[in-house]
Amino acid sequence: MFLHNVNPTVKALTIIGTVFLLAFVFDPVTPLLYIVWTVIVTFLFGTFKKRYYLYYFIPFTLFAFGMFWTTIVFSDTASGTTETVSFLGMEFPTEDIWTAAALGLRVLAFASLSLLFMFTTNMVHFILSLIQQLKLPPKIAYGVMAGYRFLPMLKTEFQQIRAAHRIRGVNKPDSMKEKLLQYQRFAIPLLAGAIRKAERTAIAMESKGFTGAKERTFYRPMKVQRKDWLFPVMMFGMLGVTIAVSLYFGYFSWYDGQL
């Protein structure tokens, strides 16, 4: 699929750029239109389990609603000075509703862009792209990659240790104190295993020439091709279209010291 084949560095810089521009947009219409566009692009040009996307999007939705609610409840707009809107049985100034919606939808716009990157980017390719395109020091990059690879292994070891405890008759904890003691028993073997794996990884990397030298060859060369530039053109172009639509209908607002 198209999104999976875009150079990860180009994709990351494009998303950072759109997030930066959206941070200065202060109306709810522009981010709403861009959220719809981003979700459509993600679903059409990405291959992943769609229900996982919805699971990840729910916490961001709750956070956006929390920001919306706190903005309208704790606003310092003087009562009686503006038109009001009824929301959940209470009256709020229209200006506060507009500002709260702009902040909440902006959070969801950031979330949709982040999920686009997360679900369509191979993290190993991303690290390699950072080394080759942005000249990230290999010593740091490969250390991050090794740590990223350790996470699933730690989860597996945790499950094995817990199963071993149950086989040996360790009772399931009932109180909070017993749970804390149980996790202390898990922590020691997990820490010991992590130290052994880190030491072996360091020795293996050094023996294979991972000394931190910048000039090196790569088994997987990551290049920026012409097709990669279609992604930033598409994302920035649509952002311009959404701003133009908001301007045409008189909704667009740029940040000018609001709040």
Side-chain angles (χ1 to χ4, degrees), residues 182-217:
Q182 183 189 52
Y183 283 115
Q184 287 179 4
R185 292 195 298 268
F186 291 162
I188 294 175
L190 278 175
L191 180 61
I195 292 174
R196 286 196 299 267
K197 286 183 175 61
E199 185 177 2
R200 293 170 186 168
T201 303
I203 295 173
M205 291 177 67
E206 187 174 356
S207 66
K208 290 176 173 59
F210 293 101
T211 59
K214 294 183 178 180
E215 298 299 328
R216 60 181 301 114
T217 57

Side-chain angles (χ1 to χ4, degrees), residues 108-207:
L108 292 182
F110 297 163
S112 63
L113 288 167
S114 301
L115 292 177
L116 182 152
F117 183 82
M118 185 179 73
F119 279 100
T120 63
T121 305
N122 184 302
M123 293 307 298
V124 174
H125 293 171
F126 179 49
I127 296 295
L128 293 174
S129 180
L130 290 178
I131 297 172
Q132 298 176 42
Q133 269 74 61
L134 296 186
K135 307 303 178 183
L136 182 69
K139 186 179 294 186
I140 297 175
Y142 284 111
V144 172
M145 190 185 302
Y148 176 75
R149 290 295 193 184
F150 278 161
L151 294 178
M153 298 170 62
L154 288 175
K155 180 181 178 181
T156 303
E157 286 193 3
F158 174 78
Q159 293 172 346
Q160 291 174 349
I161 294 170
R162 184 169 58 182
H165 282 204
R166 289 178 179 176
I167 290 174
R168 286 164 175 78
V170 178
N171 296 327
K172 187 177 180 180
D174 297 324
S175 63
M176 182 61 66
K177 182 178 179 180
E178 291 178 353
K179 289 182 179 180
L180 291 175
L181 292 174
Q182 183 189 52
Y183 283 115
Q184 287 179 4
R185 292 195 298 268
F186 291 162
I188 294 175
L190 278 175
L191 180 61
I195 292 174
R196 286 196 299 267
K197 286 183 175 61
E199 185 177 2
R200 293 170 186 168
T201 303
I203 295 173
M205 291 177 67
E206 187 174 356
S207 66

Side-chain angles (χ1 to χ4, degrees), residues 2 12 16 42 45 47 50 58 66 69 76 85 87-88 114 116 135 142 169 175 200 240 252-253 257:
F2 169 68
I16 292 172
T42 306
F45 301 109
T47 303
K50 305 302 188 288
I58 289 174
W69 181 249
D76 58 354
V85 175
F87 181 74
L88 297 179
S114 301
L116 182 152
K135 307 303 178 183
Y142 284 111
S175 63
R200 293 170 186 168
F252 182 76
S253 176

